[in-house]
Coordinates of all heavy atoms in Angstrom, one line a residue:
M1 N 0.8 -1.2 0.0 CA 0.0 0.0 0.0 C 0.9 1.2 0.0 O 1.8 1.3 0.8 CB -0.9 0.0 1.2 CG -1.8 1.2 1.3 SD -2.9 1.2 2.8 CE -4.3 0.4 2.1
K2 N 0.6 2.2 -0.9 CA 1.3 3.5 -0.9 C 0.8 4.4 0.2 O -0.3 4.1 0.8 CB 1.1 4.2 -2.2 CG 1.6 3.4 -3.4 CD 3.1 3.5 -3.4 CE 3.6 2.9 -4.7 NZ 5.1 3.1 -4.9
S3 N 1.5 5.4 0.5 CA 1.1 6.3 1.6 C 1.3 7.7 1.2 O 2.2 8.1 0.4 CB 2.0 6.0 2.9 OG 3.4 6.3 2.6
I4 N 0.4 8.5 1.7 CA 0.4 10.0 1.4 C 0.4 10.7 2.7 O -0.3 10.4 3.7 CB -0.8 10.4 0.5 CG1 -0.6 11.8 0.0 CG2 -2.1 10.2 1.2 CD1 -1.5 12.2 -1.1
C5 N 1.1 11.8 2.7 CA 1.2 12.7 3.8 C 0.5 14.0 3.4 O 1.0 14.6 2.4 CB 2.6 13.0 4.2 SG 2.8 14.1 5.6
I6 N -0.5 14.4 4.1 CA -1.2 15.7 3.7 C -0.8 16.7 4.7 O -1.2 16.6 5.9 CB -2.7 15.5 3.7 CG1 -3.1 14.4 2.6 CG2 -3.4 16.8 3.4 CD1 -4.5 14.0 2.6
L7 N -0.1 17.7 4.3 CA 0.2 18.9 5.1 C -1.0 19.8 5.1 O -1.3 20.4 4.1 CB 1.5 19.6 4.6 CG 2.0 20.8 5.4 CD1 2.2 20.4 6.8 CD2 3.2 21.3 4.8
I8 N -1.7 19.8 6.2 CA -3.0 20.5 6.2 C -2.8 22.0 6.0 O -1.8 22.6 6.3 CB -3.8 20.3 7.5 CG1 -3.1 20.7 8.7 CG2 -4.1 18.8 7.6 CD1 -3.9 20.7 10.0
G9 N -3.9 22.6 5.6 CA -3.9 24.1 5.2 C -4.1 25.0 6.5 O -4.0 24.5 7.6
R10 N -4.3 26.2 6.2 CA -4.5 27.2 7.2 C -5.7 26.8 8.1 O -6.6 26.2 7.7 CB -4.9 28.5 6.6 CG -3.8 29.1 5.8 CD -4.3 30.4 5.2 NE -3.2 31.0 4.4 CZ -3.3 32.1 3.7 NH1 -4.5 32.7 3.6 NH2 -2.3 32.5 3.0
K11 N -5.6 27.2 9.4 CA -6.6 26.9 10.3 C -7.8 27.9 10.0 O -7.7 29.1 10.0 CB -6.1 27.2 11.7 CG -7.2 27.0 12.8 CD -6.5 27.2 14.2 CE -7.6 27.1 15.3 NZ -7.0 27.3 16.6
I12 N -8.9 27.2 9.7 CA -10.2 28.0 9.5 C -11.2 27.4 10.5 O -11.6 26.2 10.3 CB -10.7 27.8 8.1 CG1 -9.6 28.3 7.1 CG2 -12.0 28.5 7.9 CD1 -10.0 28.0 5.6
K13 N -11.5 28.1 11.6 CA -12.3 27.6 12.6 C -13.6 27.0 12.2 O -14.1 26.0 12.7 CB -12.5 28.7 13.7 CG -11.3 28.9 14.5 CD -11.7 29.8 15.7 CE -10.4 30.0 16.5 NZ -10.7 30.6 17.8
A14 N -14.2 27.6 11.2 CA -15.6 27.2 10.7 C -15.5 25.9 9.9 O -16.5 25.2 9.8 CB -16.2 28.3 9.9
N15 N -14.3 25.5 9.5 CA -14.1 24.3 8.7 C -12.8 23.6 9.0 O -12.0 23.3 8.1 CB -14.2 24.7 7.2 CG -14.4 23.5 6.3 OD1 -14.7 22.4 6.8 ND2 -14.3 23.7 5.0
I16 N -12.5 23.4 10.3 CA -11.2 23.0 10.8 C -10.8 21.6 10.3 O -9.7 21.3 10.1 CB -11.2 23.1 12.3 CG1 -9.7 23.2 12.8 CG2 -11.9 22.0 13.0 CD1 -9.6 23.7 14.2
N17 N -11.8 20.8 10.1 CA -11.5 19.4 9.7 C -11.8 19.1 8.2 O -12.0 18.0 7.8 CB -12.2 18.4 10.6 CG -13.7 18.6 10.6 OD1 -14.2 19.5 10.0 ND2 -14.4 17.7 11.2
R18 N -11.7 20.1 7.4 CA -12.1 19.9 6.0 C -11.3 18.9 5.2 O -11.8 18.2 4.3 CB -12.0 21.3 5.2 CG -10.6 21.8 5.2 CD -10.6 23.3 4.8 NE -9.2 23.9 4.8 CZ -8.6 24.3 5.9 NH1 -9.2 24.3 7.1 NH2 -7.4 24.8 5.9
E19 N -10.0 18.7 5.6 CA -9.2 17.7 4.8 C -9.5 16.3 5.2 O -9.1 15.4 4.4 CB -7.7 18.0 5.1 CG -7.2 19.2 4.4 CD -7.1 20.4 5.3 OE1 -7.7 20.4 6.3 OE2 -6.4 21.4 4.8
L20 N -10.3 16.0 6.2 CA -10.6 14.6 6.6 C -11.4 13.9 5.5 O -11.3 12.7 5.4 CB -11.4 14.6 7.9 CG -10.6 15.0 9.2 CD1 -11.5 15.0 10.4 CD2 -9.4 14.1 9.4
A21 N -12.1 14.6 4.7 CA -12.9 13.9 3.6 C -11.9 13.2 2.6 O -12.3 12.3 1.9 CB -13.7 15.0 2.9
L22 N -10.7 13.6 2.6 CA -9.7 13.0 1.7 C -9.4 11.6 2.0 O -8.9 10.8 1.1 CB -8.4 13.9 1.6 CG -8.6 15.3 1.1 CD1 -7.3 16.1 1.2 CD2 -9.0 15.2 -0.4
I23 N -9.5 11.2 3.2 CA -9.2 9.8 3.7 C -9.9 8.8 2.8 O -9.4 7.9 2.2 CB -9.5 9.6 5.1 CG1 -8.6 10.5 6.0 CG2 -9.4 8.1 5.5 CD1 -9.0 10.4 7.5
K24 N -11.2 9.0 2.7 CA -12.1 8.1 1.9 C -11.6 8.0 0.4 O -11.5 7.0 -0.2 CB -13.5 8.4 2.0 CG -14.5 7.5 1.3 CD -15.9 8.0 1.4 CE -16.8 7.1 0.6 NZ -18.2 7.6 0.6
E25 N -11.4 9.2 -0.1 CA -11.0 9.3 -1.5 C -9.7 8.5 -1.8 O -9.5 7.8 -2.7 CB -10.9 10.7 -2.0 CG -12.2 11.5 -1.9 CD -13.3 10.8 -2.7 OE1 -13.1 10.4 -3.8 OE2 -14.4 10.8 -2.2
F26 N -8.7 8.7 -0.9 CA -7.4 8.1 -1.1 C -7.5 6.6 -0.8 O -6.8 5.8 -1.5 CB -6.3 8.7 -0.3 CG -5.8 10.0 -0.9 CD1 -6.0 11.2 -0.3 CD2 -5.1 10.0 -2.1 CE1 -5.5 12.4 -0.8 CE2 -4.7 11.2 -2.7 CZ -4.9 12.4 -2.0
N27 N -8.3 6.2 0.1 CA -8.6 4.8 0.4 C -9.1 4.0 -0.8 O -8.8 2.9 -1.0 CB -9.5 4.6 1.6 CG -8.8 4.8 2.9 OD1 -7.5 4.8 3.0 ND2 -9.5 5.0 4.0
N28 N -9.9 4.7 -1.6 CA -10.4 4.1 -2.9 C -9.3 3.7 -3.8 O -9.5 2.8 -4.7 CB -11.4 5.1 -3.6 CG -12.7 5.3 -2.8 OD1 -13.1 4.4 -2.1 ND2 -13.3 6.4 -3.1
Y29 N -8.2 4.3 -3.7 CA -7.0 4.0 -4.5 C -5.9 3.3 -3.8 O -4.8 3.2 -4.2 CB -6.4 5.3 -5.1 CG -7.4 6.0 -6.1 CD1 -8.2 7.0 -5.7 CD2 -7.4 5.6 -7.4 CE1 -9.1 7.6 -6.5 CE2 -8.3 6.2 -8.3 CZ -9.2 7.2 -7.9 OH -10.1 7.7 -8.7
N30 N -6.3 2.7 -2.6 CA -5.4 1.9 -1.8 C -4.2 2.8 -1.3 O -3.1 2.3 -1.4 CB -5.0 0.7 -2.5 CG -4.5 -0.4 -1.6 OD1 -5.0 -0.5 -0.4 ND2 -3.6 -1.2 -2.0
I31 N -4.4 4.0 -1.0 CA -3.4 4.9 -0.5 C -3.7 5.2 1.0 O -4.8 5.8 1.3 CB -3.3 6.2 -1.3 CG1 -2.9 5.8 -2.8 CG2 -2.3 7.1 -0.8 CD1 -3.0 7.0 -3.7
D32 N -2.8 4.9 1.9 CA -2.9 5.2 3.3 C -2.7 6.7 3.5 O -1.7 7.2 3.0 CB -1.9 4.3 4.1 CG -2.1 4.4 5.5 OD1 -3.3 4.3 6.0 OD2 -1.1 4.6 6.3
T33 N -3.5 7.3 4.3 CA -3.5 8.8 4.5 C -3.0 9.1 5.9 O -3.6 8.6 6.9 CB -4.9 9.4 4.2 OG1 -5.3 9.0 3.0 CG2 -4.8 10.9 4.3
T34 N -2.1 10.1 6.0 CA -1.7 10.6 7.3 C -1.6 12.1 7.2 O -1.2 12.7 6.2 CB -0.3 10.1 7.7 OG1 -0.3 8.7 7.8 CG2 0.1 10.7 9.1
F35 N -2.1 12.8 8.2 CA -2.1 14.3 8.2 C -1.0 14.8 9.0 O -0.7 14.3 10.1 CB -3.5 14.8 8.7 CG -4.6 14.5 7.9 CD1 -5.4 13.4 8.2 CD2 -5.0 15.2 6.8 CE1 -6.5 13.0 7.4 CE2 -6.1 14.9 6.0 CZ -6.8 13.8 6.3
L36 N -0.3 15.8 8.4 CA 0.8 16.4 9.1 C 0.3 17.8 9.5 O -0.1 18.6 8.7 CB 2.0 16.6 8.1 CG 3.3 17.0 8.7 CD1 3.8 16.1 9.8 CD2 4.4 17.0 7.6
I37 N 0.3 18.0 10.8 CA -0.2 19.2 11.4 C 0.9 20.1 12.0 O 1.5 19.7 13.0 CB -1.3 18.9 12.5 CG1 -2.3 17.9 11.9 CG2 -1.9 20.1 13.1 CD1 -3.3 17.3 12.9
P38 N 1.2 21.2 11.4 CA 2.2 22.1 11.9 C 1.8 23.0 13.0 O 0.7 23.4 13.1 CB 2.6 22.9 10.6 CG 1.3 23.0 9.8 CD 0.6 21.7 10.1
G39 N 2.7 23.2 13.9 CA 2.5 24.1 15.1 C 2.9 25.5 14.8 O 3.3 25.8 13.7
K40 N 3.0 26.3 15.9 CA 3.2 27.7 15.7 C 4.6 28.1 15.2 O 4.8 29.2 14.6 CB 2.9 28.5 17.0 CG 3.9 28.2 18.1 CD 3.5 28.9 19.4 CE 4.5 28.6 20.5 NZ 4.2 29.5 21.6
D41 N 5.6 27.2 15.3 CA 6.9 27.5 14.8 C 7.0 27.3 13.3 O 8.1 27.6 12.7 CB 8.0 26.7 15.6 CG 8.1 27.2 17.0 OD1 7.6 28.3 17.3 OD2 8.7 26.5 17.8
L42 N 6.0 26.7 12.7 CA 6.1 26.4 11.3 C 4.9 27.0 10.5 O 5.0 27.0 9.2 CB 6.0 24.9 11.0 CG 7.2 24.1 11.5 CD1 7.0 22.6 11.3 CD2 8.4 24.5 10.8
S43 N 4.0 27.6 11.2 CA 2.8 28.2 10.5 C 2.3 29.4 11.2 O 2.2 29.4 12.4 CB 1.7 27.1 10.3 OG 0.6 27.7 9.8
F44 N 2.0 30.5 10.5 CA 1.4 31.6 11.1 C -0.1 31.4 11.5 O -0.6 32.1 12.3 CB 1.6 32.9 10.3 CG 0.7 32.9 9.0 CD1 -0.6 33.4 9.1 CD2 1.2 32.4 7.8 CE1 -1.3 33.4 7.9 CE2 0.5 32.4 6.7 CZ -0.8 32.9 6.7
S45 N -0.7 30.5 10.8 CA -2.1 30.1 11.1 C -2.2 28.7 11.6 O -2.7 27.8 11.0 CB -2.9 30.3 9.8 OG -4.3 30.0 10.0
Y46 N -1.6 28.5 12.7 CA -1.3 27.1 13.2 C -2.5 26.5 14.0 O -3.4 27.2 14.5 CB -0.1 27.1 14.1 CG -0.2 28.0 15.3 CD1 -0.6 27.5 16.5 CD2 0.2 29.3 15.2 CE1 -0.7 28.3 17.6 CE2 0.1 30.2 16.3 CZ -0.3 29.6 17.5 OH -0.4 30.4 18.6
Y47 N -2.4 25.2 14.1 CA -3.4 24.4 14.9 C -2.7 24.3 16.3 O -1.5 24.0 16.4 CB -3.6 23.1 14.3 CG -4.5 23.1 13.1 CD1 -4.1 23.7 11.9 CD2 -5.7 22.5 13.1 CE1 -4.8 23.7 10.8 CE2 -6.5 22.5 12.0 CZ -6.1 23.1 10.8 OH -6.9 23.2 9.7
D48 N -3.5 24.4 17.3 CA -2.9 24.1 18.7 C -3.3 22.7 19.2 O -4.1 22.0 18.5 CB -3.4 25.2 19.6 CG -4.9 25.3 19.8 OD1 -5.6 24.3 19.8 OD2 -5.3 26.5 20.0
I49 N -2.9 22.4 20.3 CA -3.1 21.1 20.9 C -4.6 20.7 21.0 O -5.0 19.6 20.7 CB -2.4 20.9 22.3 CG1 -0.9 21.1 22.1 CG2 -2.8 19.6 22.9 CD1 -0.3 20.0 21.2
N50 N -5.4 21.7 21.3 CA -6.9 21.5 21.4 C -7.5 21.1 20.1 O -8.4 20.4 20.0 CB -7.6 22.7 22.0 CG -7.2 23.0 23.4 OD1 -6.9 22.1 24.2 ND2 -7.1 24.2 23.8
D51 N -6.9 21.7 19.0 CA -7.5 21.4 17.6 C -7.2 20.0 17.2 O -7.9 19.4 16.3 CB -6.8 22.3 16.6 CG -7.1 23.8 16.9 OD1 -8.3 24.1 17.4 OD2 -6.3 24.6 16.7
L52 N -6.2 19.3 17.8 CA -5.9 18.0 17.4 C -7.0 17.0 17.7 O -7.1 15.9 17.1 CB -4.6 17.5 18.1 CG -3.4 18.3 17.8 CD1 -2.2 17.7 18.5 CD2 -3.1 18.3 16.3
S53 N -7.9 17.3 18.6 CA -9.1 16.4 18.9 C -9.9 16.2 17.6 O -10.5 15.1 17.5 CB -9.9 17.0 20.0 OG -10.5 18.2 19.6
Y54 N -9.9 17.1 16.7 CA -10.7 16.9 15.4 C -10.1 15.8 14.6 O -10.7 15.2 13.7 CB -10.7 18.2 14.6 CG -11.5 19.3 15.3 CD1 -10.9 20.3 16.0 CD2 -12.9 19.3 15.1 CE1 -11.7 21.3 16.6 CE2 -13.7 20.3 15.7 CZ -13.1 21.3 16.5 OH -13.8 22.3 17.1
F55 N -8.8 15.5 14.8 CA -8.1 14.5 14.0 C -7.9 13.2 14.8 O -7.1 12.3 14.3 CB -6.8 15.1 13.5 CG -6.9 16.2 12.6 CD1 -7.1 17.5 13.1 CD2 -7.0 16.0 11.2 CE1 -7.2 18.6 12.2 CE2 -7.2 17.1 10.4 CZ -7.3 18.4 10.8
K56 N -8.5 13.0 15.9 CA -8.2 11.9 16.8 C -8.5 10.5 16.1 O -7.9 9.5 16.4 CB -8.9 12.0 18.1 CG -10.4 11.9 18.1 CD -11.0 12.1 19.5 CE -12.5 12.2 19.4 NZ -13.0 12.7 20.7
K57 N -9.5 10.5 15.2 CA -9.8 9.2 14.5 C -9.0 9.0 13.3 O -9.1 8.0 12.6 CB -11.3 9.2 14.2 CG -12.1 9.1 15.5 CD -13.6 8.9 15.2 CE -14.4 8.8 16.4 NZ -15.8 8.7 16.2
A58 N -8.2 10.0 12.9 CA -7.4 9.9 11.7 C -5.9 9.8 12.1 O -5.5 10.3 13.2 CB -7.6 11.1 10.8
K59 N -5.1 9.2 11.2 CA -3.7 9.2 11.5 C -3.2 10.6 11.3 O -3.5 11.3 10.3 CB -3.0 8.3 10.5 CG -3.2 6.8 10.7 CD -2.4 6.1 9.6 CE -2.7 4.6 9.6 NZ -2.0 3.9 8.6
H60 N -2.4 11.1 12.3 CA -1.9 12.4 12.2 C -0.6 12.5 13.0 O -0.3 11.8 13.9 CB -2.9 13.5 12.7 CG -3.2 13.4 14.1 ND1 -4.1 12.5 14.7 CD2 -2.7 14.1 15.2 CE1 -4.1 12.7 16.0 NE2 -3.3 13.6 16.3
I61 N 0.2 13.5 12.6 CA 1.5 13.8 13.2 C 1.5 15.3 13.4 O 1.3 16.1 12.5 CB 2.7 13.3 12.4 CG1 2.6 11.8 12.1 CG2 4.0 13.7 13.1 CD1 3.6 11.4 11.0
F62 N 1.8 15.7 14.7 CA 1.9 17.1 15.0 C 3.4 17.4 15.0 O 4.2 16.7 15.6 CB 1.3 17.4 16.3 CG 1.4 18.9 16.8 CD1 0.5 19.8 16.3 CD2 2.4 19.3 17.6 CE1 0.6 21.1 16.6 CE2 2.5 20.6 18.0 CZ 1.6 21.5 17.5
I63 N 3.8 18.5 14.2 CA 5.2 18.9 14.2 C 5.3 20.3 14.5 O 4.4 21.1 14.2 CB 5.9 18.6 12.8 CG1 5.2 19.3 11.7 CG2 5.9 17.1 12.5 CD1 6.0 19.3 10.4
N64 N 6.5 20.7 15.1 CA 6.7 22.1 15.4 C 8.1 22.5 15.0 O 8.5 23.6 15.5 CB 6.4 22.4 16.8 CG 5.9 23.8 17.0 OD1 5.5 24.5 16.1 ND2 6.1 24.3 18.2
D65 N 8.8 21.7 14.3 CA 10.2 22.2 13.9 C 10.6 21.4 12.6 O 10.1 20.4 12.3 CB 11.2 22.0 15.0 CG 11.4 20.6 15.5 OD1 11.8 19.7 14.6 OD2 11.1 20.3 16.6
K66 N 11.6 22.0 11.9 CA 12.0 21.4 10.6 C 12.7 20.1 10.8 O 12.7 19.2 9.9 CB 12.9 22.4 9.9 CG 12.2 23.6 9.3 CD 13.1 24.5 8.5 CE 12.4 25.7 8.0 NZ 13.3 26.6 7.3
K67 N 13.4 19.9 11.9 CA 14.1 18.6 12.2 C 13.1 17.5 12.2 O 13.3 16.4 11.6 CB 14.9 18.7 13.5 CG 15.6 17.4 13.8 CD 16.4 17.5 15.1 CE 17.1 16.2 15.4 NZ 17.6 16.2 16.7
K68 N 12.0 17.7 12.9 CA 11.0 16.6 13.0 C 10.4 16.4 11.6 O 10.1 15.3 11.1 CB 9.9 17.0 14.0 CG 8.7 16.1 14.0 CD 9.1 14.8 14.7 CE 7.8 14.0 14.9 NZ 8.1 12.7 15.5
F69 N 10.2 17.5 10.8 CA 9.7 17.4 9.5 C 10.6 16.5 8.6 O 10.1 15.7 7.9 CB 9.5 18.8 8.8 CG 9.0 18.8 7.4 CD1 7.7 18.6 7.2 CD2 9.9 19.1 6.4 CE1 7.2 18.6 5.9 CE2 9.4 19.1 5.1 CZ 8.0 18.8 4.8
M70 N 11.9 16.7 8.7 CA 12.9 15.9 8.0 C 12.8 14.5 8.3 O 12.9 13.6 7.4 CB 14.3 16.4 8.2 CG 14.5 17.9 7.7 SD 14.5 18.0 6.0 CE 16.0 17.1 5.5
E71 N 12.5 14.2 9.5 CA 12.3 12.8 10.0 C 11.1 12.1 9.4 O 11.1 11.0 8.9 CB 12.3 12.7 11.5 CG 13.6 13.0 12.2 CD 13.5 13.2 13.7 OE1 12.4 12.8 14.2 OE2 14.5 13.6 14.3
V72 N 10.0 12.9 9.4 CA 8.7 12.4 9.0 C 8.6 12.2 7.5 O 8.0 11.2 7.1 CB 7.6 13.4 9.4 CG1 6.3 13.1 8.8 CG2 7.4 13.4 11.0
I73 N 9.2 13.0 6.7 CA 9.0 12.9 5.3 C 9.6 11.6 4.7 O 9.2 11.2 3.6 CB 9.5 14.1 4.5 CG1 11.1 14.3 4.7 CG2 8.8 15.4 4.9 CD1 11.6 15.4 3.8
E74 N 10.5 11.0 5.4 CA 11.1 9.8 4.9 C 10.1 8.6 4.8 O 10.4 7.6 4.1 CB 12.3 9.4 5.7 CG 13.4 10.4 5.7 CD 14.0 10.6 4.3 OE1 14.1 9.6 3.5 OE2 14.2 11.8 3.9
N75 N 9.0 8.7 5.5 CA 8.1 7.6 5.6 C 6.9 7.6 4.6 O 6.0 6.7 4.7 CB 7.5 7.6 7.0 CG 8.6 7.4 8.1 OD1 9.5 6.7 7.9 ND2 8.4 8.2 9.2
F76 N 6.9 8.5 3.7 CA 5.8 8.6 2.8 C 6.2 8.6 1.3 O 7.3 9.0 0.9 CB 5.0 9.9 3.1 CG 4.4 9.9 4.4 CD1 5.1 10.5 5.5 CD2 3.2 9.3 4.7 CE1 4.6 10.5 6.8 CE2 2.7 9.3 6.0 CZ 3.4 9.9 7.0
D77 N 5.3 8.1 0.5 CA 5.5 8.0 -1.0 C 5.1 9.3 -1.7 O 5.7 9.7 -2.7 CB 4.7 6.8 -1.6 CG 5.1 5.5 -1.0 OD1 6.3 5.2 -1.0 OD2 4.2 4.8 -0.4
Y78 N 4.0 9.9 -1.2 CA 3.4 11.1 -1.8 C 3.1 12.1 -0.8 O 3.0 11.8 0.4 CB 2.1 10.7 -2.5 CG 2.1 9.6 -3.5 CD1 1.6 8.4 -3.2 CD2 2.7 9.8 -4.7 CE1 1.6 7.3 -4.0 CE2 2.8 8.7 -5.6 CZ 2.2 7.5 -5.3 OH 2.3 6.5 -6.2
F79 N 3.0 13.4 -1.3 CA 2.7 14.5 -0.4 C 1.7 15.4 -1.1 O 1.7 15.6 -2.3 CB 4.0 15.3 -0.1 CG 5.0 14.6 0.7 CD1 5.9 13.8 0.2 CD2 5.0 14.7 2.1 CE1 6.8 13.1 0.9 CE2 5.8 14.0 2.9 CZ 6.8 13.2 2.3
L80 N 0.8 15.9 -0.3 CA -0.2 16.9 -0.7 C 0.0 18.1 0.2 O -0.2 17.9 1.4 CB -1.6 16.3 -0.7 CG -2.7 17.3 -1.1 CD1 -2.6 17.7 -2.5 CD2 -4.1 16.6 -0.9
I81 N 0.3 19.2 -0.3 CA 0.5 20.4 0.5 C -0.7 21.3 0.2 O -0.9 21.8 -0.9 CB 1.8 21.2 0.1 CG1 3.0 20.2 0.0 CG2 2.0 22.3 1.0 CD1 3.3 19.5 1.3
A82 N -1.5 21.5 1.3 CA -2.7 22.3 1.1 C -2.5 23.7 0.7 O -3.3 24.3 0.1 CB -3.6 22.2 2.4
S83 N -1.4 24.3 1.2 CA -1.2 25.7 0.9 C 0.3 25.9 0.7 O 1.0 26.2 1.7 CB -1.7 26.6 2.0 OG -1.5 27.9 1.8
W84 N 0.8 25.7 -0.5 CA 2.3 25.7 -0.6 C 2.9 27.1 -0.3 O 4.1 27.1 0.1 CB 2.7 25.3 -2.1 CG 2.3 26.3 -3.1 CD1 1.1 26.3 -3.9 CD2 3.1 27.3 -3.6 NE1 1.2 27.3 -4.8 CE2 2.3 28.0 -4.6 CE3 4.3 27.8 -3.3 CZ2 2.8 29.1 -5.3 CZ3 4.8 28.9 -4.0 CH2 4.1 29.6 -5.0
R85 N 2.2 28.2 -0.5 CA 2.8 29.5 -0.2 C 3.0 29.6 1.3 O 4.0 30.3 1.7 CB 1.9 30.6 -0.7 CG 1.9 30.7 -2.2 CD 1.1 31.9 -2.7 NE 1.1 32.0 -4.1 CZ 0.1 32.2 -4.9 NH1 -1.1 32.5 -4.3 NH2 0.2 32.3 -6.2
D86 N 2.1 29.1 2.1 CA 2.3 29.2 3.6 C 3.4 28.3 4.1 O 4.0 28.6 5.1 CB 1.0 28.7 4.3 CG -0.1 29.7 4.1 OD1 0.1 30.8 3.7 OD2 -1.3 29.2 4.3
Y87 N 3.7 27.3 3.3 CA 4.8 26.3 3.8 C 5.9 26.3 2.8 O 6.6 25.2 2.6 CB 4.1 24.9 3.9 CG 3.0 24.9 4.9 CD1 1.7 24.4 4.5 CD2 3.2 25.3 6.2 CE1 0.7 24.4 5.4 CE2 2.1 25.2 7.1 CZ 0.9 24.8 6.7 OH -0.2 24.7 7.6
K88 N 6.2 27.4 2.1 CA 7.3 27.4 1.1 C 8.6 26.7 1.6 O 9.2 25.9 0.9 CB 7.5 28.8 0.6 CG 8.6 28.7 -0.6 CD 8.6 30.0 -1.4 CE 9.5 30.0 -2.5 NZ 10.5 29.0 -2.7
P89 N 9.1 27.1 2.8 CA 10.3 26.4 3.3 C 10.2 24.9 3.3 O 11.2 24.2 3.0 CB 10.6 27.0 4.7 CG 9.8 28.3 4.7 CD 8.6 28.1 3.8
L90 N 9.0 24.4 3.7 CA 8.9 22.9 3.8 C 8.7 22.3 2.4 O 9.3 21.2 2.1 CB 7.6 22.6 4.6 CG 7.6 23.1 6.1 CD1 6.3 22.7 6.8 CD2 8.8 22.6 6.8
V91 N 8.1 23.1 1.5 CA 8.0 22.6 0.1 C 9.4 22.5 -0.5 O 9.7 21.6 -1.2 CB 7.0 23.5 -0.7 CG1 7.1 23.2 -2.2 CG2 5.6 23.4 -0.2
D92 N 10.2 23.5 -0.2 CA 11.6 23.5 -0.7 C 12.4 22.3 -0.3 O 13.1 21.7 -1.0 CB 12.3 24.8 -0.4 CG 11.8 26.0 -1.1 OD1 11.1 25.9 -2.1 OD2 12.0 27.2 -0.6
I93 N 12.2 21.9 1.0 CA 12.8 20.7 1.5 C 12.3 19.5 0.8 O 13.1 18.6 0.4 CB 12.5 20.6 3.0 CG1 13.3 21.7 3.8 CG2 12.9 19.2 3.5 CD1 12.9 21.8 5.3
L94 N 11.0 19.4 0.5 CA 10.5 18.2 -0.2 C 11.0 18.2 -1.6 O 11.4 17.1 -2.1 CB 8.9 18.3 -0.2 CG 8.2 17.9 1.1 CD1 6.7 18.3 0.9 CD2 8.4 16.5 1.4
K95 N 11.1 19.3 -2.3 CA 11.6 19.3 -3.7 C 13.0 18.8 -3.7 O 13.4 18.1 -4.6 CB 11.5 20.7 -4.2 CG 10.1 21.1 -4.6 CD 10.1 22.5 -5.2 CE 8.7 22.9 -5.7 NZ 8.7 24.3 -6.2
K96 N 13.8 19.2 -2.7 CA 15.2 18.9 -2.7 C 15.4 17.4 -2.3 O 16.3 16.7 -2.9 CB 15.9 19.7 -1.6 CG 17.4 19.5 -1.5 CD 18.0 20.5 -0.5 CE 19.5 20.3 -0.4 NZ 20.1 21.2 0.6
N97 N 14.6 16.8 -1.4 CA 14.7 15.5 -1.0 C 13.9 14.4 -1.6 O 14.2 13.2 -1.5 CB 14.5 15.4 0.5 CG 15.5 16.2 1.3 OD1 16.7 15.9 1.2 ND2 15.1 17.2 2.1
K98 N 12.8 14.8 -2.3 CA 11.9 13.8 -2.9 C 11.8 14.1 -4.4 O 11.0 13.8 -5.1 CB 10.6 13.9 -2.2 CG 10.6 13.5 -0.8 CD 10.6 12.0 -0.7 CE 10.6 11.5 0.7 NZ 10.5 10.1 0.9

């Protein structure tokens, strides 16, 4: 089974779990889905610990530094970046390493 890491987009309180619908879609193609949730040191519109409860039934990883990001990316075949402009430094790392 292939795996995808979805770097979630900006925090929008009214639609905080919008990316969860992607699990079913990727499962249809036999792709395992994990959400990567950046903290305040990686995103200006970050999710906090309380927001993680929305993702408790989904595979997710909370990161708050580039070192952890570098460790995490080795475990996935594909990446979906919800907002590449917000995460340009992370996208640059992915382009360089993947």
